[in-house]
Amino acid sequence: MDTIASLFSFITYPVSWIIVQFHSLYGAIFGESSGLAWGLSIVSLVILIRICLIPLFVKQIKATRGMQALQPKMKAIQERYKNDKQRQSEEMMKLYKETGTNPLSSCLPILAQSPFFFALYHVLSNIADGKPVGAMDQQLVDSARAAKIFGAPIAAKFMDSPEKVAALGATLTDVRIVTAVMIVMMSLSQFYTQRQLMQKNVDLSVKTPFMQQQKMLMYIFPVIFAVMGINFPVGVLVYWLTTNVWTMGQQMYVINQNPTPGSKAQDQYLTRLLKQITSHGELKGRGRKRVVAAIVAKGPDRNDNERKFIAALTKQGMAAQPDGSVIKSVEATADSDAASGGAAKRQQPKRQSKAQRQTPSKPAPKK
C-alpha cells in the first residue's frame, strides 16, 4: 500500500494543504491537537472533493443508464456471435461507438478519487512515522500524532504492533475496537448503497448478465473493503466512510428525483407525481414538467410505469401536454358529459300494469 501511495506523492502537497486550512479553522474551535479538529478536517476534504466530482457523478448516472438500455442488444450480439469472440468484440465496440456509450464512465468517480485517497494515506503514514509531509511541518505532524478519535490515533491501523500503537500514545485494544467498528460501518454502507441501486433503480423489465454481475459486485465490494480496511489508518477509514455516506445520500436523492425508466423507483416517483397533480389540479416544478414531457414524447415506446401514469391521468380527467404541463382533458370532460346526458335521455317512464293500460283515461272536466 505504501508503494502505491508513493506513486501519488505529486498530489500530497495539495491534499495536505487543504487539510491544514480546514484544521486552522476547526483547531481554533476545538483545540489544535483535538481528534475532532483533525477528523472534521478529513471529512471536509471529502465533502470538497465530492462537490468537485458532481459533474463526473452525473456522467456516471448517464453511462450506467446507457449500459442498462443496451443490455438487450448486447445479449443479442453475444448469442449471434457466441462462436466468434473477435467478431463479438468488434460488434460490441461498434455498438458503443454508435450509441456514444463508454463502459468505463461508470467508474469515473472512483477513479477520480483514487489519487486523493492514496495521497491521504501517504500523509497519514508520514504522520505515524513523525515525519513532515507536504504542507505539514513538524509542529503540525506532532499535533496530528496526538489527535485521537474515540481513543484511537488518526494515524494508527488495525494491524499495527503494540509497540507502534504505544508510540502514538494509545492501546492496541482501543485501536482495534475503533478500526473494527469503522470497517464494519464502511462495508455496510457500501453494501446498502449497491443494494439500494439494485432493488430500486434498475429497469426490472431487462433481465441480462449485467444485472447478475451487479448483484455479485454488491457482495464482493464490501468484502474487499473489509479486507483492505485492516491496513488503513483511522484517518483513511474516516475518509472512506464519509465518502460512502455521501455516495449513499447522493444516490438516494437521484433515485427519488430522477429514477431509471422502468425501475421500481420510477413507479414510486410517478405515483407521488400523480398525487400532487390530483391534489393541486396542476403540475408544479420545472424538473417534474421535464419528466412528464419526456414521457409524452415517448408515445407508444413508454414503459409499463409510464403507461400506467398516463392512464391514471386520463381516469382523473387530466391530460399531459408536450411541454410537460397537465391540464383538464376536454375530451374526458365531454365524454363524461355525454355519458351523463345520454343516461338522462335514455331514462324511461315507469312501466304501467296491464289493468292501468286497459282502463281508459277520464276526460278532463268541462268548465
Side-chain angles (χ1 to χ4, degrees):
M1 183 66 73
D2 290 321
T3 304
I4 298 175
S6 63
L7 297 175
F8 295 92
S9 58
F10 66 92
I11 203 173
T12 298
Y13 189 90
V15 168
S16 61
W17 184 85
I18 292 171
I19 293 175
V20 168
Q21 302 311 306
F22 281 122
H23 176 260
S24 64
L25 171 64
Y26 297 123
I29 302 172
F30 303 108
E32 291 187 0
S33 298
S34 167
L36 191 57
W38 285 102
L40 286 175
S41 298
I42 295 172
V43 170
S44 299
L45 170 69
V46 176
I47 294 173
L48 179 62
I49 292 171
R50 292 310 300 264
I51 289 174
C52 294
L53 292 180
I54 286 177
L56 290 182
F57 181 75
V58 173
K59 285 186 178 181
Q60 179 193 33
I61 294 172
K62 291 181 179 179
T64 302
R65 291 185 180 178
M67 288 296 296
Q68 290 175 353
L70 289 179
Q71 292 308 302
K73 294 181 180 179
M74 292 172 66
K75 189 175 182 180
I77 292 174
Q78 289 172 347
E79 292 177 354
R80 186 181 303 171
Y81 304 106
K82 58 183 177 181
N83 297 323
D84 189 348
K85 297 296 182 183
Q86 183 177 353
R87 181 65 185 278
Q88 185 182 112
S89 178
E90 291 174 355
E91 291 297 322
M92 287 287 190
M93 295 303 295
K94 183 180 178 181
L95 179 64
Y96 294 148
K97 188 175 181 180
E98 289 175 351
T99 57
T101 304
N102 185 357
L104 296 178
S105 294
S106 59
C107 303
L108 283 176
I110 293 178
L111 293 175
Q113 280 191 89
S114 297
F116 299 97
F117 172 79
F118 287 112
L120 179 62
Y121 183 94
H122 185 62
V123 169
L124 292 171
S125 295
N126 279 270
I127 289 173
D129 295 334
K131 299 176 182 177
V133 56
M136 298 181 66
D137 56 22
Q138 190 63 52
Q139 182 180 354
L140 286 171
V141 169
D142 292 340
S143 173
R145 275 173 62 86
K148 296 182 179 65
I149 296 176
F150 299 112
I154 65 170
K157 307 173 191 174
F158 183 90
M159 297 300 291
D160 279 347
S161 63
E163 294 77 17
K164 190 170 183 178
V165 172
L168 294 171
T171 64
L172 189 61
T173 301
D174 288 342
V175 170
R176 290 195 170 174
I177 289 175
V178 172
T179 52
V181 170
M182 294 184 74
I183 289 169
V184 170
M185 291 175 66
M186 183 177 68
S187 299
L188 287 177
S189 60
Q190 179 75 33
F191 175 78
Y192 180 79
T193 300
Q194 190 68 18
R195 185 172 181 268
Q196 179 183 237
L197 179 66
M198 290 301 302
Q199 286 194 336
K200 289 189 173 183
N201 209 36
V202 171
D203 188 349
L204 301 177
S205 64
V206 181
K207 305 294 183 182
T208 64
F210 177 76
M211 291 181 64
Q212 298 300 322
Q213 181 184 8
Q214 292 298 307
K215 286 182 180 179
M216 184 174 63
L217 292 176
M218 179 173 69
Y219 295 99
I220 291 177
F221 273 148
V223 174
I224 292 174
F225 277 105
V227 173
M228 292 176 63
I230 61 176
N231 292 307
F232 290 166
V234 172
V236 171
L237 293 177
V238 170
Y239 175 96
W240 208 253
L241 179 59
T242 304
T243 197
N244 278 2
V245 172
W246 177 282
T247 301
M248 184 167 59
Q250 192 169 245
Q251 184 171 277
M252 287 177 66
Y253 175 81
V254 171
I255 288 174
N256 287 328
Q257 301 300 321
N258 190 20
T260 299
S263 66
K264 182 179 178 180
Q266 188 197 33
D267 184 31
Q268 294 173 344
Y269 176 81
L270 293 178
T271 300
R272 294 196 303 270
L273 214 59
L274 183 63
K275 287 181 179 179
Q276 183 200 9
I277 295 170
T278 304
S279 300
H280 298 90
E282 60 178 344
L283 182 62
K284 297 180 180 180
R286 190 176 299 175
R288 297 184 181 93
K289 288 183 178 180
R290 280 200 297 265
V291 171
V292 174
I295 293 174
V296 172
K298 285 185 178 181
D301 295 330
R302 298 177 190 126
N303 59 49
D304 291 341
N305 295 335
E306 294 160 350
R307 281 193 289 269
K308 186 171 73 171
F309 173 72
I310 295 296
L313 280 178
T314 304
K315 190 175 180 181
Q316 295 290 334
M318 310 289 286
Q321 302 302 299
D323 63 352
S325 61
V326 177
I327 62 171
K328 192 73 175 177
S329 174
V330 177
E331 292 182 3
T333 306
D335 291 343
S336 178
D337 292 342
S340 60
K345 289 178 182 178
R346 288 193 300 270
Q347 188 174 0
Q348 300 294 331
K350 291 182 180 180
R351 187 174 181 180
Q352 294 178 326
S353 65
K354 185 175 181 181
Q356 288 175 327
R357 290 197 301 271
Q358 290 177 348
T359 302
S361 58
K362 295 180 180 181
K366 296 181 179 180
K367 293 183 180 178

